[in-house]
Amino acid sequence: MPIDNGSMLHHDEAGGGQPVVLLHGFPLTLEMWRHQIEALSATHHVIAPDLAGFGGSGPASDPVSMESYARDVAELLDSLDVLRQVALVGFSMGGYVALAFLGLFPERVGALALIDTKATADTPAAKAGRVDAAAHVLEQGSSFIAEAMIGKLLSPGSLADRPNLVSELVASMSAQPPRSVAQALGAMAVRADTTPLLAAVGVPTVVVGGAEDVIVTPEEMGTMASAIPGAEYVEIPGAGHLTPMEAPDAVSEALARWLNRMTD
Ligand code: MLT
């Protein structure tokens, strides 16, 4: 049964108090937040959904967009009676969704954390690459995207030294339904440039990025941070794109500092 109501999103929930929402990247699941769910739930009410079509959530109805993922999250919050402002954390594609959520529901966001993500839209070459990748995934299965992405998700050091993390990620990416992977690729290809939103962000914001991220470079993240009034930029040495899993302590500490700024 397709998802047309966010209350059907599978999610993890832990802790109590101020709500913190964690939005995962592509083609991943809420499992990427395991460390942050444990660390932040000591002081906050952590809610980590699987976006429509991924992990334990059922398939998404077409058409899928960053806005449809964001509306699903708003409906999930409604169904959980989370009506106060949330601290919104988005990693990579989850960051695109977080920025779409901010555009649709600015009154629901009390603080914003953007991790290894960007506000700019795809270049024409990147769009063409997504369309091509979606066709391959539909023909060959999601292991196509797992193999295409694994070398870019982690730093060279993590790729060499953390075989268990590499195999866990390849297995998880390969297990995502090809239709959901193709839908997300298509949605990312046509996502809007949300750069115009940045100057109007009026909530405590942190931008976190891996110093060795080749998917969203430190330069792109620094530029995005400098466009957001008062935003802090935290660069994590030795980490690639998937900082919440590669450098979990550093990411959880940066998020805990940012959450303290929200209550200061
Ligand atoms: C992600 O990690 O969510 C993706 O790499 C984002 C993207 O491909 O733009």
Side-chain angles (χ1 to χ4, degrees):
M1 171 110 168
I3 287 189
D4 55 13
N5 179 331
S7 63
M8 293 168 65
L9 287 185
H10 174 255
H11 61 282
D12 199 354
E13 209 181 351
Q18 170 79 42
V20 180
V21 176
L22 305 175
L23 302 179
H24 65 78
F26 166 87
L28 303 170
T29 73
L30 68 82
E31 289 305 319
M32 64 159 284
W33 296 117
R34 198 45 59 208
H35 187 282
Q36 287 74 36
I37 293 171
E38 192 178 334
L40 302 179
S41 62
T43 51
H44 287 75
H45 176 191
V46 180
I47 301 157
D50 279 327
L51 294 173
F54 291 93
S57 287
S61 311
D62 280 318
V64 172
S65 62
M66 296 304 115
E67 288 74 19
S68 72
Y69 289 135
R71 278 191 291 270
D72 289 340
V73 173
E75 287 170 17
L76 172 67
L77 295 176
D78 290 344
S79 76
L80 297 174
D81 276 332
V82 175
L83 302 176
R84 61 200 278 200
Q85 288 191 319
V86 300
L88 187 61
V89 182
F91 165 76
S92 203
M93 183 179 82
Y96 312 154
V97 177
L99 287 165
F101 188 99
L102 183 71
L104 290 170
F105 311 108
E107 70 290 348
R108 298 189 81 153
V109 181
L112 182 65
L114 297 169
I115 305 185
D116 297 281
T117 192
K118 57 188 169 191
T120 49
D122 274 5
T123 61
K127 281 186 212 284
R130 304 250 199 224
V131 171
D132 194 49
H136 281 91
V137 166
L138 291 172
E139 276 161 23
Q140 297 171 29
S142 297
S143 57
F144 173 85
I145 205 78
E147 279 156 31
M149 285 193 71
I150 188 65
K152 293 186 270 186
L153 283 180
L154 304 175
S155 68
S158 298
L159 284 167
D161 300 340
R162 299 185 61 185
N164 292 345
L165 177 58
V166 170
S167 49
E168 179 193 335
L169 286 167
V170 170
S172 170
M173 291 190 283
S174 302
Q176 301 313 307
R179 178 169 176 267
S180 305
V181 171
Q183 282 174 318
L185 284 163
M188 286 193 286
V190 298
R191 75 184 188 280
D193 178 1
T194 49
T195 308
L197 282 181
L198 301 180
V201 175
V203 297
T205 300
V206 66
V207 176
V208 180
E212 298 178 33
D213 190 342
V214 293
I215 294 181
V216 186
T217 64
E219 290 70 26
E220 289 174 294
M221 285 178 275
T223 302
M224 179 171 67
S226 58
I228 301 174
E232 182 194 5
Y233 175 45
V234 178
E235 189 169 294
I236 302 190
H241 183 60
L242 194 38
T243 52
M245 294 185 87
E246 273 190 281
D249 288 320
V251 171
S252 295
E253 280 159 23
L255 292 176
R257 281 197 307 276
W258 158 75
L259 288 168
N260 281 338
R261 275 171 65 202
M262 190 180 176
T263 48
D264 279 349

